[in-house]
Amino acid sequence: MAEPTMADAPGPESAEFDAVVVGAGPAGSAAALALARAGRSVVMVERGPFPGSKNVYGGVVYGRVLDAIIPNWWEDVPVERWVVRRSTMMMTESQSLSIDYRTGAWGTAPYNGMTTVRSRFDTWLAAKATEAGARLLTSTVATGLLRDGDGRVVGVRTDRDHAELRSRVVVACDGVNSFLAKEAGLLPQSEASHYTLGVKEVLSLPREVIDERFGVQGHEGVDIEILGCTRGIPGGGFLYTNTDTVSVGVVASLPHLAEARIRPEELIADLKEHPSIAPYLRGSSLREYAAHLIPEGGYDTMPPLATDGMMLAGDSAAMTLAAGMWLEGVNFAIASGYAAGQAVDRAVASGDCTASGLASYRADLERQFVLVDHKRLRKAPALVLSDRVQQRYPGLLCDLAEGMFTVVNPAPKPGGLRVTRNAAAKHGVKLRELAADTLRGLRIFG
Amino acid sequence: MNDPRFTHVGPLVVACLRITDLRPEVDPLTGAVARDAQGNGLSAADAAALELSLRIAGVWSGRVVALAVGPPAIDPVLRDVAALGVTVLRVSPETVDPDRGYAAELADDEQRLARTIVASLVPYGPPDLIVCGDRSTDRGTGALPAFLAHQLGAVQALGLVALTPDDTVTGGGRALIAERRLDAGWRERLGVPLPAVCSVEGAGVRLRRASLGGALTAAAAPVPVNGISPADRPEREEAIPAVRIGPTRVFEPRARVLPAPESTDPRVRLLALTGALVAHDPPTVIGPVGPSEAADELMAFLVRHGYLDPTDPEQAGTSGKGTGR
Amino acid sequence: MATVDFRVGARAHITVDSEVCRSCTTSACVTACPANLFAPTSDGGILFNYEECFECGTCYMVCNSEGAITWTYPDGGQGVVFHHG
C-alpha cells in the first residue's frame, strides 16, 4: 500500500443506501432518525466538523414536536434555560412598550420552549440518529446531484475525491442556501426578497447576574422579541438568556438592508445601546459573533417539497415561521425532517421513489402543524414586514402609552381617542389604515 | 494471529498526536480554562506530523499507527484520522496514572507518559520512526519526543521543517533526511538513522483528506483503546529521576551597594551619581565582518582597555585559537 | 471577529469577477456582508477575503450583477465553526 488511503478499495461508496440525508441539522437528523428506526440504511452528510457547527438560530427551540419522536427528551437534551418569560417589545429610538408574559408552568416538564446552543443541540439530535443505526459523515460537502438517464436523482457527489454516494432517495436538509434544491430547480438561484439576514452576538455574563437582571433563577430563562429596532428596515430583534451568556441580535430583510447601505453590525450596536436593552447587557464581554440567512418568505414562497428521488425539509424548504408573534424554525425542521424520513421509508417499501411515490410527505405535512401553520399564516410575513408595522406602529403604540401614562396635571388628562388621534397623526397613520390592519391581523392570526 | 496489528510488514511509523481543544476558553477573571470536546482537533504541528508519517510510510511501503493519549471525547478526531487508512490507538489517561486524570497527561510526568506510550506500542512491533508535533496547544513541555527517544534508544531530531526518506541509502537500509531552521533563512540538513523520534513544525504541509470510503468505514468503526494490563503498566522508575519543579519565585537580584559621593554640593553629588559628565566610549558598530575579523576586533578591544596584555605569551596564545569560538 | 473559530481552507470558496463589478452601481455586498469581507478598489473592482466568512450567503443574494460573485461552501471541515450558535 503505497498511499495508505482507501480510495481504491472497493469500499461502501459503491454500495447503495436507501437514503442519503444531506445536512445533519435538526431536519437531517430527524429524517435519519426516522429512517434508521424503520431499518433503512441511511447516511448523513455534514459539511461541518460536527453537527451544528454551521448553524445559528434566534432564540427558542419549542420541544412539543419532540414528544412523539423522543420520549422524555427533556431529560437529556442539552438545554441552556427553559423559557418561562416571553416578552414582545416594540421600540423607537428612546421608547419601548412590552407585552410580558410569565408562567411557572413553562418551567416544569413537559416544558414549552428552551434556549440552547446549536453546536450541542444538533450534536445531541444527530447522536439519536446514529444510536438508531444511521451513519454520520462529517467534514464532507455534497457538491452536486447524481442523476440517472431519466433525470431522477440517484445520489450525491461529495467533495472527497469527487466520490459518489448512491441512494434511492436524497433528502436535502442542507439549509437555507440549499445548493442541491437550486440544482434540482426547486429553489430559485438567488431571490433576496425571500430572505432575511440574522446577525447575533453571544455575550458572557455571570450566571447570577443574568438571574438577577432578568428576574429568573435556576434553569429559568427569558426570551424577548423586539420590533422597531432596525432603523425602518423590515425585520426585528431578539434577546434571550443562556446559562452564562445572553444572545442579542437583529434580523433584517436582505434587499432593504442592501438598499439602506447600513452595516448589519450597526443595527446590533444600536439595539445594544437602547435604554431598554443596555441595562441587561452592562459589563458583558463578547463571546461569539455570528450571521446566518433565514428563509422568511412563508407558505407562498415554499418550493415543491419533492421531485423524483429527492425531497426537501427544514430551511431548504423555507420552513420557518417568522410571523411577528411567532418565530420558529427548529421545530418545523424536526417535524418536516421526521415526516420526510417516514415518507422515504414508505416509498422504498413500495418501490416507487419518484415524485408521486414521495407525495405522501406533503400530504402528511398538510395534516400536521407544519403546513397548517404556514398556510394559516401565509399572509403574515407581508403584514409583519410591511412598512406600517415596521416603521410606524411601534412609534404609534409607544406614543399612545406615553400619552396615557404621562401625568400632565394641572392640565386635565386627555381622552383616549385624542391621544390615539394625536399619535396617529404624528406617525402618519390614518385611523382607517389602523382599523384595516387590525382587521387584517385578526384575519391572519385570529 | 490474524489481527493485522500484530502482523508487522514493512517499517512501522508512529504518529504520536496530542488531541485537545484548540480554542479553550479562559476566564479572564479567574484564569480557569474551559475545554470543550467539540473544539478537539489536531494542531497544525500534529497534522504535519501525521501527513509526514503517511508520506514516509508510503515511500517505505510501511504501516502507520496514529496514537493519542486522552479521554473517549477525542475518539471523533481519531476516527477522522482512521479514515486516512491509518491504524489508530487511544491510550487512556488512566493507564498513565489512574489516580490523576488530566494532569497526568501533561508536563507533570512526561517520562512516565513516554514509557506508557512505548508499552502501548509493543503489540504493533518495534517502531522504526515516531513523529510528533513540535508543540502542543495546551502547555506541554515539548520534552515528550526526547523521553520517547530515550525509552526506545532511538536517535532524536526535533523541531524539523522537513522530513523525507533518504533515497541515497542502498542495500535495504533506511534513513531520513531532516531539515531544521537556522537564523537568517538558513536551514541545516541532518541525516537521521533509524530508529528515530522526530518532532516537526506545523508548517509547509497540509494534511490530506480521507477518501469517502475511508471516511464511511471509519465513521462506523470503534476506536481501539490500549489494552495493556495493569500489571504491565509502567511504575514510577526511581533509577532515572524525573525533573521536578520546585516552588518558583520572581528573580530579585541583590542590590549592589555603591559608596555615597563625598561632596556636600548637591550638584556635584548628582553628577557623580548619574555619571553625566564622565566621558564614555560610544558604542561601536563593526561589520558586517567575517568571524576572524570580528574576533580580531574583539581582541583589540580587550587589549585597548587593558583586559589583555599582548606581551604576555600565555594570553597572546589564546588570541589565535579564539577565532572559531 | 477574533472570537470566532475559522478553519481556513486552502481553496477560496468565494470568487469575484471584478470585470462585472466595474459596471455595478450599488456594490451592495460591501455594506451588507456581516463579516465585512468586500472592499471596493479605486478602479471600480471589488477586493474580497474568504478567510473569515460566516458562510451566510448574503453576498451572492444581494449581488445585482449576474455572475459577479460565485459562492460555494468551503471544503468539508473547513470554514466557520460556531460554538455558541
Side-chain angles (χ1 to χ4, degrees):
Chain A
M1 43 183 272
E3 272 304 87
T5 70
M6 298 187 179
D8 310 322
E13 75 263 42
S14 55
E16 185 170 296
F17 289 90
D18 288 323
V20 168
V21 175
V22 181
S29 293
L33 178 62
L35 281 156
R37 279 181 179 168
R40 303 292 174 193
S41 61
V42 54
V43 59
M44 290 180 274
V45 182
E46 165 61 43
R47 68 187 184 95
F50 54 83
S53 55
K54 303 288 183 185
N55 299 350
V56 184
Y57 83 133
V60 185
V61 174
Y62 296 96
R64 208 63 319 107
V65 59
L66 286 167
D67 290 349
I69 300 172
I70 302 164
N72 295 351
W73 53 273
W74 53 81
E75 285 168 6
D76 65 345
V77 74
V79 59
E80 291 281 310
R81 286 174 186 261
W82 300 105
V83 174
V84 297
R85 203 188 126 199
R86 167 66 207 262
S87 196
T88 299
M89 187 185 274
M90 271 150 294
M91 61 166 62
T92 66
E93 265 176 50
S94 58
Q95 306 157 292
S96 73
L97 174 67
S98 291
I99 299 165
D100 199 287
Y101 176 71
R102 179 177 188 132
T103 170
W106 288 354
T108 53
Y111 303 103
N112 178 50
M114 62 172 177
T115 63
T116 181
V117 173
R118 289 293 295 277
S119 59
R120 295 193 202 113
F121 180 80
D122 291 13
T123 299
W124 169 81
L125 196 58
K128 296 286 175 202
T130 51
E131 281 159 21
R135 282 212 230 178
L136 172 63
L137 198 58
T138 54
S139 299
T140 308
V141 183
T143 52
L145 295 169
L146 301 177
R147 292 170 189 266
D148 67 5
D150 301 328
R152 286 185 198 160
V153 176
V154 292
V156 293
R157 198 172 300 104
T158 72
D159 73 334
R160 290 190 187 267
D161 305 330
H162 307 292
E164 299 172 349
L165 270 175
R166 294 190 161 265
S167 65
R168 293 192 168 83
V169 181
V170 170
V171 188
C173 307
D174 49 342
V176 60
N177 279 302
S178 184
F179 288 115
L180 296 185
K182 286 173 184 176
E183 187 184 336
L186 300 175
L187 270 182
Q189 286 302 323
S190 161
E191 181 49 70
S193 60
H194 297 165
Y195 296 91
T196 56
L197 171 65
V199 284
K200 173 168 102 167
E201 282 186 6
V202 179
L203 305 165
S204 286
L205 273 179
R207 193 175 178 158
E208 314 76 64
V209 174
I210 294 176
D211 287 351
E212 218 158 274
R213 288 187 187 170
F214 290 86
V216 288
Q217 57 183 353
H219 287 287
E220 294 174 347
V222 177
D223 172 39
I224 304 174
E225 309 287 352
I226 304 156
L227 210 59
C229 59
T230 46
R231 297 197 199 171
I233 299 170
F238 56 85
L239 168 65
Y240 63 88
T241 57
N242 305 308
T243 306
D244 57 358
T245 54
V246 295
S247 301
V248 58
V250 295
V251 173
S253 153
L254 264 190
H256 293 84
L257 179 75
E259 202 183 321
R261 308 192 69 77
I262 294 172
R263 296 206 48 76
E265 56 266 32
E266 289 174 35
L267 296 176
I268 288 201
D270 280 2
L271 181 60
K272 283 168 70 181
E273 282 168 18
H274 192 276
S276 300
I277 301 298
Y280 285 130
L281 309 177
R282 203 178 298 130
S284 60
S285 60
L286 182 65
R287 192 84 161 268
E288 193 171 79
Y289 175 55
H292 214 279
L293 288 187
I294 309 162
E296 289 206 357
Y299 186 82
D300 293 329
T301 68
M302 262 187 204
L305 298 181
T307 179
D308 292 343
M310 174 174 169
M311 49 214 297
L312 308 180
D315 271 8
S316 66
M319 287 177 186
T320 61
L321 196 62
M325 261 191 279
W326 296 289
L327 296 162
E328 303 169 25
V330 174
N331 49 347
F332 286 105
I334 294 171
S336 61
Y338 203 79
Q342 290 174 320
V344 173
D345 173 46
R346 286 191 294 271
V348 170
S350 73
D352 179 9
C353 294
T354 62
S356 65
L358 296 169
S360 71
Y361 172 46
R362 189 175 180 106
D364 189 6
L365 292 183
E366 275 171 353
R367 283 191 298 274
Q368 289 191 38
F369 71 98
V370 178
L371 286 185
V372 174
D373 283 356
H374 272 100
K375 203 168 186 173
R376 196 155 67 87
L377 298 168
R378 65 197 299 173
K379 301 224 184 302
L383 175 65
V384 171
L385 297 179
S386 74
D387 183 53
R388 278 200 293 274
V389 171
Q390 285 290 325
Q391 299 186 10
R392 299 188 219 174
Y393 289 164
L396 171 72
L397 290 169
C398 286
D399 280 350
L400 260 178
E402 190 169 312
M404 297 303 281
F405 297 137
T406 305
V407 177
V408 292
N409 47 28
K413 291 190 193 306
L417 198 62
R418 208 179 96 211
V419 172
T420 312
R421 210 179 281 132
N422 286 351
K426 183 179 163 195
H427 293 278
V429 178
K430 298 193 179 81
L431 289 182
R432 188 159 41 83
E433 290 169 338
L434 187 60
D437 282 339
T438 310
L439 202 63
R440 197 171 150 204
L442 278 175
R443 276 208 199 107
I444 294 169
F445 296 110
Chain B
M1 279 191 289
N2 288 329
D3 188 334
R5 288 189 301 164
F6 302 105
T7 51
H8 183 56
V9 192
L12 174 64
V13 180
V14 176
C16 186
L17 310 173
R18 166 113 198 106
I19 299 169
T20 178
D21 184 358
L22 299 177
R23 293 174 58 94
E25 280 173 9
V26 183
D27 187 318
L29 202 62
T30 62
V33 180
R35 290 185 181 78
D36 182 0
Q38 276 176 332
N40 281 347
L42 294 180
S43 66
D46 279 356
L50 181 58
E51 176 60 30
L52 290 174
S53 303
L54 287 164
R55 288 185 191 176
I56 292 164
V59 174
W60 285 346
S61 305
R63 292 182 311 138
V64 178
V65 170
L67 171 149
V69 180
I74 69 171
D75 281 355
V77 182
L78 279 176
R79 235 174 246 129
D80 290 345
V81 173
L84 295 164
V86 171
T87 308
V88 294
L89 174 68
R90 180 168 67 80
V91 178
S92 160
E94 287 75 37
T95 330
V96 182
D97 192 332
D99 305 325
R100 290 175 298 170
Y102 186 78
E105 303 168 48
L106 289 175
D108 190 42
D109 193 351
E110 273 183 299
Q111 188 183 357
R112 203 163 179 210
L113 177 61
R115 275 188 279 132
T116 312
I117 288 173
V118 170
S120 304
L121 285 170
V122 166
Y124 301 86
D128 298 271
L129 171 65
I130 297 185
V131 191
C132 312
D134 69 338
R135 68 193 65 193
S136 60
T137 45
D138 60 347
R139 303 186 297 178
T141 61
L144 182 67
F147 281 122
L148 285 172
H150 173 79
Q151 288 295 323
L152 291 164
V155 302
Q156 52 171 316
L158 309 181
L160 308 173
V161 288
L163 187 63
T164 48
D166 184 352
D167 49 17
T168 63
V169 177
T170 52
R174 290 191 185 91
L176 293 158
I177 292 182
E179 277 182 25
R180 190 152 50 187
R181 274 182 219 279
L182 293 179
D183 284 352
W186 287 78
R187 300 269 173 100
E188 67 177 339
R189 183 164 286 181
L190 312 164
V192 183
L194 299 185
V197 178
C198 298
S199 74
V200 296
E201 279 186 27
V205 287
R206 226 172 220 285
L207 181 59
R208 65 189 68 184
R209 291 192 69 194
S211 69
L212 186 67
L216 270 177
T217 311
V223 172
V225 184
N226 67 335
I228 59 172
S229 66
D232 297 338
R233 188 184 295 149
E235 292 303 321
R236 246 176 231 283
E237 205 175 285
E238 297 306 331
I240 310 166
V243 176
R244 294 270 153 221
I245 300 166
T248 55
R249 61 184 179 86
V250 179
F251 173 63
E252 290 165 341
R254 193 171 298 168
R256 198 148 54 110
V257 181
L258 294 171
E262 284 175 5
S263 170
T264 51
D265 181 354
R267 181 175 169 276
V268 176
R269 288 166 61 91
L270 197 66
L271 286 173
L273 281 169
T274 56
L277 294 182
V278 181
H280 288 285
D281 273 355
T284 323
V285 179
I286 305 160
V289 293
S292 64
E293 286 92 343
D296 287 345
E297 284 287 347
L298 281 173
M299 298 307 289
F301 179 87
L302 294 175
V303 170
R304 203 158 59 236
H305 290 272
Y307 293 106
L308 274 183
D309 182 1
T311 58
D312 185 340
E314 225 169 76
Q315 287 190 356
T318 50
S319 122
K321 279 185 210 159
T323 12
R325 294 197 184 152
Chain C
M1 301 295 281
T3 59
V4 188
D5 183 1
F6 293 104
R7 304 183 181 174
V8 180
R11 179 182 70 89
H13 66 282
I14 307 172
T15 55
V16 178
D17 185 347
S18 264
E19 291 305 315
V20 183
C21 297
R22 273 183 246 285
S23 61
C24 173
T25 51
T26 59
S27 308
C29 57
V30 175
T31 51
C33 168
N36 209 350
L37 297 179
F38 299 88
T41 58
S42 59
D43 62 349
I46 292 284
L47 197 67
F48 70 98
N49 296 311
Y50 74 94
E51 291 88 346
E52 299 200 327
C53 174
F54 289 127
E55 297 159 36
C56 64
T58 297
C59 54
Y60 81 91
M61 288 264 190
V62 299
C63 181
N64 64 354
S65 315
E66 193 69 34
I69 298 179
T70 320
W71 190 89
T72 58
Y73 291 134
D75 292 341
Q78 309 289 358
V80 69
V81 175
F82 292 120
H83 293 277
H84 299 279

